[in-house]
Structure formats: C-alpha cells, structure tokens
Amino acid sequence: QVQLVQSGGGLVQAGDSLNITCTASGFIDNGYNPGNLGWFRQSPGKERDFVAAIRWKDGLTRYADSVKGRFTISRDNADNTVYLQMRSLKPEDTAIYYCAAEVTWARPSQNENEYDVWGQGTQVTVSS
C-alpha cells in the first residue's frame, strides 16, 4: 500500500524555526501517480485546517493566509519527499501536522476530503 511517513516536529520557542518531513513509499508498486502533496494541521477541539500544498509535477504551491511568508513547502520528486519549513513560529501554530496526497492533477486543493492518503501526524508545540 501507499504510505506517508512523517518525521520531525517537537517543542520550540516562539520565533524559532522547525522543519518537518513526509516521505512516501509504494507509489511505483501501487501505480499511484500523485497530483498534489499537502500539509494540514489540527489542534485539540478544532477541525483540521489546510496549511500548504504543492503540485508534484511543476512545484506550484498554495498556502493558507495564516502561514504565508513564514512557511515554505517544497518537494524532492526523486526521493518522494515533501518538506515543510516553518519560520517565525507562533503559539497559534501548535498542532498535530499531517501530510497528505491526492491524485488530482489540478490546483492544489484546500479541502481535506480531496486527499487519499495520510501520514501519521507529527506534533509541533510552540511555547510563548
């Protein structure tokens, strides 16, 4: 099966930077051709929200307004890996971060229901 395995995360202070990684496996064996890879986050008691996404073929990116200018999404197609570089972190960024993949070849979707495969989640905690 296709799997997304995340790494990184942890506890940092406000203003710090942190990078998290999502590595996919099984794309070739399962005939999975990703259209977009995205990042979502969820805080306790709240819905899961879109953070950023990148189109696999050409690197077209899309960001939530709350992270524009602070977060950068990138990918390495050869390694089937997507990265999220987080800068100037705020306590409001505290959440479990999930990576996800969708097949659709279009503008990266902000809707979690469009994504087919999900990572296990990575905790990011930002202290004041």
Side-chain angles (χ1 to χ4, degrees):
Q1 61 180 358
V2 176
Q3 292 184 316
L4 302 179
V5 179
Q6 301 177 217
S7 62
L11 174 63
V12 298
Q13 292 181 312
D16 284 355
S17 298
L18 189 66
N19 300 329
I20 54 178
T21 301
C22 175
T23 299
S25 63
F27 279 176
I28 297 176
D29 291 343
N30 293 278
Y32 189 95
N33 298 309
N36 299 288
L37 272 294
W39 289 97
F40 294 78
R41 65 186 182 185
Q42 186 171 27
S43 299
K46 298 183 178 180
E47 296 182 350
R48 186 157 53 191
D49 294 324
F50 172 79
V51 176
I54 186 166
R55 196 154 65 188
W56 203 240
K57 283 189 175 181
D58 60 3
L60 176 70
T61 58
R62 189 175 187 179
Y63 295 92
D65 290 339
S66 60
V67 304
K68 285 182 178 178
R70 299 189 299 118
F71 290 12
T72 301
I73 187 171
S74 60
R75 90 267 191 247
D76 186 333
N77 297 62
D79 291 335
N80 291 324
T81 300
V82 62
Y83 307 91
L84 187 66
Q85 299 169 287
M86 300 177 286
R87 302 178 299 277
S88 300
L89 283 162
K90 306 174 182 179
E92 304 91 270
D93 296 318
T94 296
I96 299 175
Y97 285 71
Y98 299 89
C99 66
E102 66 166 340
V103 174
T104 304
W105 173 243
R107 184 187 184 192
S109 177
Q110 300 181 88
N111 186 353
E112 64 175 337
N113 294 322
E114 296 293 327
Y115 290 80
D116 308 299
V117 185
W118 291 82
Q120 80 277 19
T122 298
Q123 178 69 48
V124 174
T125 302
V126 184
S127 63
S128 300

